[in-house]
Amino acid sequence: MHPSRPVLAATALLATTLLAACGSSADGGATAAGQGDKAEAVLRLPDPGNNGFLALGKKDGSLDRALAAVHAKVAWTGSAGPFAPAAQALSADQLDVAQGSITSAVAALAQKPGFKLFAQTAPDGVGEGILVKNGSPIKTVQDLVGHKVAVSQGGTSEYLLLKALEKNGIPADKVERVYLRADQTAGVFNSGQVDAWATWNTFSTPSIANSGAHFLVNGKEVGSDNYAVWAVRNGFADKYPEVVKAFYTYLRENGLKEKADPAAYLNVFTDSGPTAVSAAEKEVAVEVTRQGAPADAIGEADIARFGTVAAFFAEQKVTKQTVDVKPYLIDLGALGGGTK
């Protein structure tokens, strides 16, 4: 999970929440509500929760103002979480834009996608990786042999583990993968039912801050090409390219602001309750965001690295064959007005 990788913005609630909340609004996107001579586009986005620049944009109205300039408005629907159910919602015309990882996007593109990718954020070298408990006898990747590692199937989590094993010359079948949903893994990891957990910043931050965990290796150390990507529903992009462009510009500009002052984008709505970031979590989250990157257009170098991920997933038999990502990319420059 990452626009400029707003740490903890997703909080990864139950995936079904997204689908249930979206289901009643299947005809809500790209609908018209009269505004002078122009129809007003409705951009359906997963609710950003309590953290990140989209949360602040919801609170202060800045996103509404940015989209109003292109005769559009936001409809917050469901909760941000894993990309797999969001990809299904995009393809089912229940959502217009969502963020995920290129690893989960490759898995979704292996199906019959109804979306394309229009922006990327560089891989998170320090916020994702393989967690072990402090005091664990597992000190190196080699030590994972014969142990259980919790992963979410077909996305960031499984990718990070497989990359770490490949880099260290360890056959994948020498480590037991325990497939769990990311939002249901913390308790299993904390109770010792698994020996390690491959995950990303939404979950690594609270685990490191509150649960006595640390990275055995992080994304940079395993050579991760795991970009964050933004996806848009095909029908929406075709009908409202200027809205996609305006939304991208907002992502880019506000991602830069968040990177410069990460603490200002935490606990946007409340500093108490289950969605609040604790003081210890803030320290970890701020450091991760400062080292992150804002959203950007997808360039040739990025496309090559997307292809590397797709080829790796095919080699590791996560997908049946290498997915060609190129047909599913949007050239922002072709939308008119250039890019920032």
Side-chain angles (χ1 to χ4, degrees):
M1 310 253 313
H2 337 266
S4 83
R5 299 199 186 264
V7 179
L8 302 178
T11 66
L13 299 177
L14 293 177
T16 50
T17 303
L18 174 63
L19 295 174
C22 293
S24 62
S25 60
D27 59 353
T31 56
Q35 182 177 330
D37 331 84
K38 288 215 176 191
E40 185 175 54
V42 179
L43 181 68
R44 293 167 296 177
L45 289 172
D47 190 277
N50 193 33
N51 304 286
F53 66 78
L54 284 178
L56 187 59
K58 178 183 179 181
K59 182 178 181 180
D60 66 15
S62 60
L63 179 55
D64 286 326
R65 291 190 294 274
L67 293 184
V70 288
H71 305 282
K73 65 180 181 180
V74 175
W76 300 105
T77 174
S79 299
F83 184 68
Q88 294 174 4
L90 288 167
S91 297
D93 189 16
Q94 297 171 340
L95 191 64
D96 297 312
V97 168
Q99 187 196 35
S101 64
I102 187 60
T103 46
S104 54
V106 163
L109 290 172
Q111 311 302 316
K112 292 184 178 178
F115 63 88
K116 290 183 179 178
L117 310 178
F118 68 93
Q120 55 81 13
T121 302
D124 181 7
V126 299
E128 62 184 22
I130 300 174
L131 293 172
V132 294
K133 299 289 285 185
N134 295 347
S136 169
I138 297 172
K139 306 297 183 185
T140 69
V141 174
Q142 291 285 349
D143 295 336
L144 291 173
V145 172
H147 288 87
K148 296 179 180 179
V149 182
V151 297
S152 303
Q153 191 166 14
T156 293
S157 186
E158 190 165 25
Y159 171 80
L160 291 168
L161 174 61
L162 292 172
K163 283 290 289 184
L165 297 179
E166 181 197 48
K167 185 170 183 178
N168 287 271
I170 302 169
D173 61 3
K174 297 297 184 182
V175 175
E176 182 178 348
R177 278 171 270 178
V178 179
Y179 291 115
L180 295 168
R181 256 185 19 205
D183 57 334
Q184 296 179 339
T185 305
V188 176
F189 175 64
N190 291 336
S191 67
Q193 296 177 65
V194 295
D195 306 295
W197 179 14
T199 192
W200 60 96
N201 62 17
T202 300
F203 303 99
S204 66
T205 293
S207 190
I208 290 169
N210 304 325
S211 302
H214 66 274
F215 280 127
L216 178 69
V217 284
N218 61 26
K220 182 178 181 180
E221 290 165 337
V222 303
S224 172
D225 286 309
N226 188 36
Y227 284 77
V229 291
W230 281 93
V232 60
R233 182 174 61 83
N234 289 342
F236 191 94
D238 292 342
K239 189 170 185 179
Y240 298 110
E242 71 284 359
V243 179
V244 178
K245 172 65 192 310
F247 182 67
Y248 162 77
T249 299
Y250 185 88
L251 294 179
R252 174 74 181 168
E253 293 177 349
N254 288 275
L256 286 167
K257 293 176 184 177
E258 183 180 19
K259 178 177 169 62
D261 184 15
Y265 295 82
L266 297 172
N267 293 341
V268 171
F269 289 98
T270 180
D271 57 6
S272 62
T275 65
V277 178
S278 68
E281 290 169 356
K282 277 187 179 181
E283 186 176 345
V284 178
V286 164
E287 186 59 26
V288 170
T289 302
R290 279 181 178 156
Q291 295 186 58
D296 206 345
I298 299 170
E300 288 301 320
D302 309 313
I303 295 171
R305 292 175 74 181
F306 292 176
T308 299
V309 170
F312 179 75
F313 261 12
E315 290 165 7
Q316 297 290 328
K317 305 189 185 308
V318 176
T319 57
K320 293 181 179 178
Q321 58 189 15
T322 301
V323 176
D324 184 3
V325 179
K326 288 183 181 180
Y328 305 104
L329 304 179
I330 291 176
D331 178 2
L332 286 168
L335 296 181
T339 59
K340 292 187 178 180

